[in-house]
């Protein structure tokens, strides 16, 4: 008797079926939620978004499962946890295949990442990207204890490129991109969904090498379980897989929502921007629009097995039967067999129910397909990336989503009437066409590149394009997914500009200068030409900043940059190293070209000597230029710059506004200065410094009223070193602070003896370098020492130079006020040789003027020097200052100064500087004649 459809079955049979169904429902055991554990392979991030979505959206709960998701410490932890029974499910990579073929009972339930995110990253080189640069370098690929964690497919890739692992210097993987940025390692394995964002944020230029470029196309993340879980809980396995894949479909269409979920409930290790970057990068790897999440192709697994075989990790022809999960459809009808087992009386009814269920399942399957197609279409239309299906042979667009049209700036009709070549920048067509040809020849399965699209309005948009081959019937097609990276490119260009060019003058900076010098040297070595480096320092630029302000100083620097650039060839490089220092690289010089170096240097000097218009003012500067040649003067960049700097200082010492070539003598002098500076560092502790005094004589009475304290250095090998030689070194090295403190301590101890034993009004002068005015704490320590010794501040005179007053910053003013408040007097040394004005004398409470020896040397009754000395003396007295003349060497000079009213004299006529003990004897013998009281 044939089965009747349920609607036409006799009433008695329908009642019987109803009762049987009710009995089955009542007999079916109520199930509580089963607790299971999912072990991840890394910390929480968007890489595991589908599982979070399945949990939060209740998909696991609807399947009767209570799921706990655990973070992982390393890529192999899921395998260990599942096999040990600590977790029922795990997330692993393609190395699960190796585990299976080693006898471990792991079973892959579904593939999430259709393409592996593993890649190799290196610092960007100057030449085109080439993975062979990694040979012999320090690399981090997987762990040294287990090559199967991030190591297998990259090792296969390197071997296929002819790079043997034995030629790599492998380090333990830190998973920290800073190790690549800081140069601790030369290359490392990464996830293309993760580290590139961190490197981009750090502004680090890099090249990425993917195994897919060599045709090695592994699956990425895979959901897996154990054979025991499938054997003991087949329905639970099926339910867990279905809920997980449903969660992935949800997550891949709602990036923002899932990113917020991760931040709120799982981890704040990465910020929202990074999570969204990861989500976008996962789209071409998961391919949720084209492939149902969880789908796995046995042929792809065979491809992976073949790669492992080539690596020697698997025997050829190894079988992985049972590795891929197959749902047991017979279990879906287990309830029917229970009914049949209840008795033969229900056989006909059971058969009818079975047919009805099959029909219902068929309708549900058709509805699921329809909804799936609608869902995939919705995801295609709403995808955050531009997606297009392209005919590989013709390049014509077959299907395009709205985001692709938006990025391209064209309508659907315009796009379908075009090919990808028509909308690409002409310079980008050839390299992309070369890759497409490899795609057609099935040499590669896909490729990535950054390219430019031309919009109809003429604007250019940069995109990251991911192209994957697609089997779409008789014609070959490929899928192109693009992401707008115009802002990123503009930011990179800005970062590169700022990293390589001076922001003020737009000239190459030190980094770019060294790069171009390296290139010039390489070319010089290749063709035997020479390279000249001109080191240019502006003379008197500080005065422009001090008098007219830094803004006008910047205007002058920009003008100077233009002038220097106008003096050289287009192939030469002009750079600004900082401050008022410029450099010029004159490359590819032959024998005749060497003669033009001096011409160019002189042209630059003449150009910079012309006045610089600065608003209503004009500024006059000159330049000092040091010249060095490669390979004549040095073989390295460091030595070339050092020698050019030495030559520049030689030009300054020779009077400025000139150029000087480097000579070995300059190097010898520089080494002597360096060694002498090093020796000077131990002079105070080594008790090598000696205190000398030179008397200052009252011209009317001829008595010694004062003395100037001077320092001498008795070097253990060189003997007595001139102050003219070591004082500049002390100032340049900062040792002048320590030396000045020593001089003051020793001098005031002698001063206390002379004031208590010889003359209570005796006064001592101590020289001060401008650098000593910048010491921390000012003169508090000096004033405290005077207090300890019972000496008044008036017992000491501090001698300063006019230049210090010209640079009278607030700190200098504070120091001078501190001296005045402490009673210490101030003398202006070398007066008449600088730029000091009368207003400074009035403003800063100066007590003494010291006429420079350049005036005293040529004193004659009617000379101009005498007239100037007279004027200084009269001016000083009218301002209430006393005058000391330096360099008095003849009685005639003394008499002329005394007749002019000069108060004090100092010079060889009275006494040369002498050690403290000799001056003590001189002072005592002078006191035997008469004790001179204060003026």
């Amino acid at each position: 008797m044939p089965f009747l459809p349920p609607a036409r079955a006799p009433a008695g049979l329908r009642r019987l079926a109803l009762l049987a169904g009710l009995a089955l429902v009542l007999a079916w055991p109520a199930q509580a939620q089963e607790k299971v554990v999912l072990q991840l392979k890394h910390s929480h991030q968007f890489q595991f978004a589908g599982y979070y979505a399945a949990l939060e959206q209740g998909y696991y709960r609807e399947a009767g499962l209570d799921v706990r998701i655990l973070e992982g410490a390393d890529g192999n932890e899921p395998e260990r946890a599942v096999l040990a029974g600590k977790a029922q499910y795990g997330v692993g990579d393609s190395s699960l295949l190796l585990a299976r073929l080693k006898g471990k009972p792991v079973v892959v339930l579904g593939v999430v990442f259709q393409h592996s995110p593993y890649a190799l990253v290196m610092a960007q080189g100057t030449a085109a990207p080439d993975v062979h640069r990694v040979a012999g370098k320090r690399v981090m690929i997987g762990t040294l204890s287990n090559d199967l964690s991030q190591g297998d497919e990259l090792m296969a890739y390197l071997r296929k490129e002819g790079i043997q692992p034995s030629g790599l210097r492998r380090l333990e993987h830190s998973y920290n991109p800073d190790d690549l940025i800081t140069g601790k390692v030369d290359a490392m394995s990464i996830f293309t969904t993760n580290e590139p964002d961190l490197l981009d944020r750090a502004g680090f230029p890099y090249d990425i090498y993917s195994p897919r470029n060599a045709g090695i196309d592994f699956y990425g993340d895979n959901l897996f379980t154990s054979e025991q879980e499938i054997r003991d809980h087949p329905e639970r396995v099926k339910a867990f897989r279905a809920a997980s894949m449903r969660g992935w479909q949800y997550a891949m269409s709602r990036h923002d929502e899932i990113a917020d979920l991760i931040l709120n409930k799982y981890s704040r290790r990465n910020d929202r921007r990074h999570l969204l970057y990861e989500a976008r990068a996962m789209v071409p790897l998961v391919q949720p629009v084209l492939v149902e999440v969880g789908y796995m192709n046995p042929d792809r697994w065979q491809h992976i097995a073949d790669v492992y075989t080539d690596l020697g990790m698997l025997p050829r022809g190894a079988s992985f039967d049972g590795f891929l999960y197959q749902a047991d459809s017979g279990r879906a009808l287990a309830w029917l067999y229970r009914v049949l087992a209840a008795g033969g009386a229900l056989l006909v009814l059971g058969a009818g129910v079975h047919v009805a269920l099959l029909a219902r399942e068929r309708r549900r399957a058709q509805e699921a397909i329809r909804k799936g197609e609608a869902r995939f279409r919705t995801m295609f239309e709403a995808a955050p990336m531009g997606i297009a299906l392209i005919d590989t042979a013709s390049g014509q667009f077959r299907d395009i989503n709205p985001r692709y049209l938006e990025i391209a700036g064209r309508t659907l009709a315009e796009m379908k009437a075009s090919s990808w070549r028509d909308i690409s920048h002409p310079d980008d067509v050839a390299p992309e066409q070369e890759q497409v040809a490899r795609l057609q020849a099935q040499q590669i399965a896909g490729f990535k590149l950054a390219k430019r699209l031309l919009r109809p309005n003429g604007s250019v948009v940069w995109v990251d394009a991911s192209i994957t081959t697609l089997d779409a019937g008789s014609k070959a097609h490929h899928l192109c997914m693009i992401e707008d990276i115009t802002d990123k490119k503009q930011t990179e260009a800005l970062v590169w500009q700022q990293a390589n060019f001076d922001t003020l003058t737009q000239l190459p900076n030190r980094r770019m200068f060294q790069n171009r010098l390296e290139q010039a040297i390489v070319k010089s070595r290749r063709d035997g030409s020479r390279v000249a480096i001109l080191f240019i320092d502006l003379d008197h630029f500080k005065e422009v900043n001090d008098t007219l302000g830094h803004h006008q100083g910047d205007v002058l620097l920009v003008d100077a940059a233009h002038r220097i650039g106008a003096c050289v060839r287009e192939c030469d490089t002009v750079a600004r190293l900082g401050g008022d220092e410029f450099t010029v690289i004159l490359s590819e010089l032959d024998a005749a070209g060497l003669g033009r170096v001096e011409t160019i240097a002189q042209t630059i000097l003449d150009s910079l000597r012309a006045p610089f218009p600065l608003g209503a003012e004009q500024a006059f500067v000159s330049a000092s230029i040091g010249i060095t040649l490669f390979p004549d003067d040095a073989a390295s960049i460091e030595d070339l710059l050092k020698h050019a700097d030495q030559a520049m200082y030689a030009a300054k010492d020779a009077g400025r506004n000139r150029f000087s070539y480097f000579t070995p003598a300059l190097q010898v002098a520089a080494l002597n200065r360096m060694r002498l500076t090093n020796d000077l560092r131990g002079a105070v502790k080594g008790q090598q410094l000696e205190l000398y005094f030179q008397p200052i004589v009252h011209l009317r009475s001829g008595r010694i009223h004062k003395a100037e304290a001077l320092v001498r250095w008795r070097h253990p090998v060189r003997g007595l070193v001139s102050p003219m030689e070591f004082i500049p070194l002390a100032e340049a090295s900062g040792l002048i602070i320590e030396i000045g403190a020593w001089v003051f301590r020793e001098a005031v101890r002698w001063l206390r003896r002379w004031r208590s034993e010889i003359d209570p009004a005796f006064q001592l002068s101590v020289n001060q370098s401008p650098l000593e005015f910048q010491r921390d704490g000012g003169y508090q320590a000096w004033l405290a020492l005077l207090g300890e010794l019972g000496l008044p501040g008036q017992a000491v005179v501090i001698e300063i130079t006019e230049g210090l007053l010209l640079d009278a910053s607030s700190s200098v003013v504070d120091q001078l006020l501190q001296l005045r408040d402490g009673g210490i007097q101030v003398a202006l040394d070398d007066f008449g040789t600088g730029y000091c004005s009368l207003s400074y004398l009035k403003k800063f409470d100066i007590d003494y003027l010291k006429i420079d020896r350049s005036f005293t040397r040529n004193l004659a009754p009617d000379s101009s020097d005498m007239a100037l000395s007279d004027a200084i003396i009269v001016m000083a007295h009218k301002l209430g200052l006393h005058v000391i003349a330096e360099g008095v060497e003849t009685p005639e000079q003394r008499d002329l100064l005394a007749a002019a009213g000069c108060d004090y004299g100092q010079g060889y006529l009275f006494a040369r500087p002498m050690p403290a003990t000799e001056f003590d004897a001189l002072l005592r013998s002078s006191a035997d004649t008469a004790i001179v009281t204060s003026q």
Side-chain angles (χ1 to χ4, degrees):
M1 176 178 177
F3 292 123
L4 297 175
R8 296 182 180 180
L13 187 57
R14 290 201 303 271
R15 284 194 298 271
L16 181 60
L18 181 61
L19 290 172
L22 180 61
L24 286 174
V25 171
L26 293 175
W28 193 260
Q31 293 186 359
Q33 288 194 334
E34 299 182 62
K35 293 186 177 183
V36 296
V37 174
L38 170 64
Q39 177 66 61
L40 307 180
K41 61 179 180 178
H42 297 302
S43 56
H44 291 305
Q45 56 193 71
F46 207 96
Q47 182 181 353
F48 310 112
Y51 308 115
Y52 309 140
L55 185 60
E56 298 300 323
Q57 293 302 312
Y59 301 156
Y60 287 138
R61 185 174 60 254
E62 292 172 9
L65 301 175
D66 180 6
V67 178
R68 187 158 65 106
I69 302 175
L70 301 182
E71 287 187 305
D74 63 74
N76 289 325
E77 186 170 357
E79 178 188 315
R80 295 194 301 270
V82 169
L83 294 179
K86 296 179 180 178
Q88 287 71 43
Y89 304 95
V91 179
D93 55 26
S94 293
S95 61
L96 289 167
L97 181 61
L98 287 177
R100 175 73 186 194
L101 295 176
K102 285 186 176 181
K104 297 179 181 179
V106 293
V107 179
V108 174
L109 299 178
V111 170
V112 177
F113 280 53
Q114 293 295 320
H115 301 289
S116 171
Y118 289 137
L120 190 70
V121 65
M122 296 180 67
Q124 193 174 79
T126 55
D130 184 0
V131 73
H132 293 87
R133 290 194 298 121
V134 78
K137 298 295 180 63
R138 299 163 299 170
V139 298
M140 291 178 177
I141 300 179
T143 63
L144 297 182
S145 59
N146 189 341
D147 283 347
L148 303 185
S149 178
Q150 289 197 27
D152 46 5
E153 60 186 290
L154 289 177
M155 287 300 184
Y157 169 46
L158 295 177
R159 285 182 177 178
K160 193 163 184 180
E161 293 289 347
I163 303 167
Q164 294 303 317
S166 59
L168 304 176
R169 296 164 55 193
R170 289 187 62 190
L171 306 178
E172 188 65 44
H173 211 311
S174 66
Y175 305 100
N176 185 357
D178 287 341
D179 289 341
L180 182 67
I181 294 172
T182 59
K184 180 178 178 181
V185 66
D186 301 303
M188 64 166 51
S189 59
I190 62 163
F191 267 35
T192 56
T193 59
N194 188 54
E195 283 85 357
D197 180 49
L198 305 178
L199 296 174
D200 289 340
R201 293 196 195 189
F204 181 74
Y206 58 89
D207 291 324
I208 289 181
Y209 303 94
S210 170
R212 292 174 66 191
N213 295 336
I216 297 174
D217 192 7
F218 279 24
Y219 281 132
D221 284 3
N222 308 294
L223 181 63
F224 75 97
T225 187
S226 65
E227 287 185 346
Q228 181 177 348
E229 175 72 5
I230 294 176
R231 182 172 58 253
D232 295 345
H233 305 283
E235 296 300 325
R236 186 166 76 185
V237 172
K238 184 187 300 183
F240 183 83
R241 181 189 185 280
S244 298
M245 298 307 122
R246 188 178 171 195
W248 271 108
Q249 292 290 358
Y250 186 94
M252 291 308 293
S253 62
R254 294 170 177 85
H255 294 175
D256 293 278
E257 178 184 333
I258 302 302
D260 292 336
L261 170 65
I262 294 172
L263 290 173
N264 292 332
K265 290 194 175 183
Y266 291 91
S267 173
R268 289 188 170 272
R269 185 178 292 106
N270 296 308
D271 59 21
R272 191 172 192 274
R273 173 182 162 190
H274 180 80
L275 292 174
L276 292 177
Y277 172 90
E278 189 179 357
R280 290 192 300 270
M282 282 170 55
V283 171
L285 301 178
V286 176
Q287 296 189 346
V289 177
L290 302 174
V291 180
E292 184 176 4
V293 179
Y295 171 76
M296 48 187 173
N297 186 343
D299 291 338
R300 281 281 299 282
W301 281 110
Q302 185 61 56
H303 160 76
I304 296 170
D306 292 342
V307 172
Y308 282 137
T309 299
D310 293 340
L311 285 172
M313 296 180 179
L314 291 178
R316 192 163 299 278
S319 171
F320 50 91
D321 290 342
F323 177 58
L324 305 183
Y325 174 69
Q326 298 289 336
D328 183 3
S329 59
R331 293 182 181 270
L333 301 178
W335 62 272
L336 181 59
Y337 299 120
R338 292 179 184 176
V339 173
L340 294 176
L346 297 178
L347 179 60
V348 173
L349 176 62
V353 172
H354 177 60
V355 170
L357 285 175
L358 287 178
R360 187 180 67 179
E361 287 300 316
R362 186 180 297 108
R363 288 193 301 272
R364 287 177 59 184
Q366 291 173 345
E367 179 64 16
I369 292 172
R370 186 190 64 79
K371 288 183 177 180
E373 290 176 348
R375 182 172 65 248
F376 288 141
R377 189 66 199 180
T378 300
M379 293 179 65
F380 176 79
E381 298 291 340
M385 299 182 70
I387 306 174
L389 183 65
I390 302 174
D391 186 308
T392 305
S394 67
Q396 298 295 123
F397 292 95
R398 298 305 182 206
D399 200 359
I400 313 122
N401 76 343
R403 179 56 179 154
Y404 202 114
L405 297 176
E406 180 186 350
I407 294 174
R410 298 170 188 266
T411 66
L412 179 60
E414 289 174 333
M415 290 292 288
K416 287 201 170 184
S418 308
S419 73
W420 66 263
R421 303 176 190 86
D422 299 329
I423 67 170
S424 299
H425 192 284
D427 294 344
D428 297 336
V429 171
E432 185 173 0
Q433 182 60 57
E434 180 181 343
Q435 294 288 72
V436 170
R438 295 180 65 197
L439 205 67
Q440 284 182 285
Q442 298 183 350
Q443 296 175 355
I444 56 176
F447 61 92
K448 292 182 179 180
L449 79 163
K451 59 180 287 187
R452 289 160 289 182
L453 300 182
L454 298 177
R455 287 175 171 168
N457 61 5
S459 62
V460 175
V461 57
W462 275 95
V463 298
D464 261 344
S466 178
I467 289 86
T468 305
T469 188
L470 194 65
D471 185 6
S474 58
K475 283 192 174 182
H477 289 74
H478 63 264
L479 192 72
C480 177
M481 290 178 283
I482 62 173
E483 183 178 6
D484 188 345
I485 59 167
T486 304
D487 291 343
K488 176 185 173 183
K489 281 290 185 180
Q490 290 173 346
T491 300
E492 289 175 350
L494 178 60
V495 169
W496 185 85
Q497 177 75 17
Q498 292 174 341
N500 293 281
F501 287 85
D502 175 52
T503 55
L504 177 63
T505 62
Q506 299 305 308
L507 293 177
N509 62 10
R510 184 181 296 272
R511 177 178 175 177
M512 177 62 78
F513 165 77
Q514 293 206 354
N515 181 267
R516 291 191 179 177
L517 184 53
E518 287 175 359
Q519 295 176 9
I521 288 175
V522 169
K523 194 171 189 312
S524 171
R525 287 176 175 146
R526 186 168 60 244
D527 58 22
S529 62
R530 283 180 167 80
V531 179
I533 295 94
L534 277 59
F535 198 103
I536 305 168
D537 187 87
L538 301 183
D539 303 325
H540 310 300
F541 176 72
K542 185 177 183 301
E543 284 85 339
V544 176
N545 267 349
D546 293 341
T547 55
L548 299 180
H550 288 275
H551 172 71
Q552 296 293 4
D554 289 346
V555 174
L556 188 149
L557 289 173
V558 173
D559 193 356
H562 291 157
R563 295 187 188 188
I564 297 172
C567 297
V568 301
R569 304 166 300 177
E570 287 187 9
C571 62
D572 298 324
T573 294
V574 179
R576 181 188 178 211
L577 300 188
D580 59 346
E581 294 180 344
F582 297 86
T583 51
V584 175
I585 303 173
L586 304 177
S587 55
E588 301 181 45
L589 299 175
D590 52 18
L594 287 175
R596 292 196 297 272
V597 173
E598 292 188 15
T599 304
I600 293 172
Q602 189 59 52
T603 303
I604 293 174
L605 292 175
D606 296 340
S607 176
L608 295 175
R609 195 166 52 241
F612 286 83
L614 302 175
E617 303 289 341
Q618 278 191 331
F620 292 85
V621 300
S622 58
S624 300
I625 303 177
I627 304 173
T628 187
L629 300 174
F630 175 86
D632 306 63
D633 298 330
S636 69
I637 290 178
E638 181 181 355
D639 288 342
L640 283 170
L641 293 179
K642 179 176 65 178
H643 293 168
D645 189 53
Q646 292 168 0
M648 183 273 293
Y649 276 106
K652 279 194 180 295
D653 292 341
R656 296 185 170 88
N657 189 32
R658 65 194 64 216
F659 61 83
S660 173
Y661 280 95
F662 169 78
T663 63
L666 294 178
Q667 175 70 356
V668 172
L671 287 173
N672 286 336
R673 285 195 301 271
M674 180 188 70
R675 290 166 181 161
L676 201 59
T677 301
N678 291 338
D679 293 346
L680 186 58
R681 297 183 188 281
V684 175
K685 292 182 180 178
Q687 298 182 344
Q688 298 170 12
L689 299 182
E690 298 177 3
L691 199 59
Y692 275 51
F693 295 92
Q694 186 174 29
I696 299 175
V697 176
H698 188 257
L699 292 180
R700 265 202 319 266
S701 64
R703 306 298 184 185
I704 301 174
H705 277 206
K706 314 172 189 298
E708 180 179 355
L710 302 166
V711 64
R712 297 293 184 266
W713 178 22
R714 193 170 298 279
H715 192 279
V717 176
R718 303 185 183 203
L720 206 59
V721 181
S722 168
M724 299 295 292
E725 188 174 359
F726 75 82
I727 291 298
L729 298 180
E731 290 181 327
S733 63
L735 294 171
I736 194 67
I737 305 295
E738 180 184 3
I739 293 173
W742 180 88
V743 169
F744 184 79
R745 288 195 305 269
E746 296 299 314
V748 295
R749 289 190 174 93
W750 283 102
L751 175 62
R752 182 179 61 170
R753 176 188 299 183
W754 293 330
R755 284 179 70 95
S756 62
E757 298 177 5
I758 301 175
D759 182 359
F762 192 80
Q763 201 175 40
L764 197 61
S765 294
V766 180
N767 287 289
Q768 286 286 275
S769 164
L771 293 177
E772 294 183 81
F773 268 75
Q774 300 173 10
R775 70 162 68 87
D776 295 334
Y779 286 92
Q780 291 293 346
W782 288 24
L783 294 172
L785 181 57
L786 291 176
E788 290 176 12
L789 298 176
L791 293 172
Q794 292 82 356
V796 176
V797 178
I798 297 297
E799 295 191 7
I800 64 175
T801 60
E802 294 180 54
L804 183 65
L805 298 185
L806 283 174
D807 190 27
S809 60
S810 59
S811 62
V812 171
V813 173
D814 292 341
Q815 303 276 42
L816 291 172
L817 291 175
Q818 191 180 39
L819 292 175
R820 185 190 66 186
D821 294 342
I824 295 178
Q825 296 183 319
V826 177
L828 197 58
D829 200 7
D830 300 332
F831 185 78
T833 61
Y835 304 92
C836 190
S837 67
L838 297 180
S839 63
Y840 286 105
L841 301 179
K842 180 179 179 182
K843 176 181 178 182
F844 292 112
D845 287 336
I846 304 300
D847 299 285
Y848 293 93
L849 291 184
K850 298 191 75 171
I851 299 176
D852 187 68
R853 66 185 69 248
S854 61
F855 295 104
T856 308
R857 184 185 304 117
N858 300 315
L859 282 182
D862 297 320
S863 66
S864 59
D865 286 324
M866 189 69 238
L868 288 172
S869 298
D870 279 334
I872 292 172
I873 293 167
V874 171
M875 173 198 68
H877 287 166
K878 286 188 177 292
L879 292 174
L881 311 180
H882 297 286
V883 181
I884 303 172
E886 296 181 294
V888 181
E889 298 182 354
T890 66
E892 291 77 16
Q893 294 169 351
R894 177 197 59 197
D895 295 341
L896 287 170
L897 290 166
C902 184
D903 302 292
Y904 299 95
Q906 179 181 355
Y908 288 176
L909 175 65
F910 308 112
R912 292 175 177 270
M914 61 189 73
T917 52
E918 293 182 20
F919 181 77
D920 180 68
L922 173 66
L923 192 58
R924 292 181 186 279
S925 65
S926 176
D928 290 341
T929 305
I931 302 298
V932 180
T933 58
S934 62
Q935 56 187 354

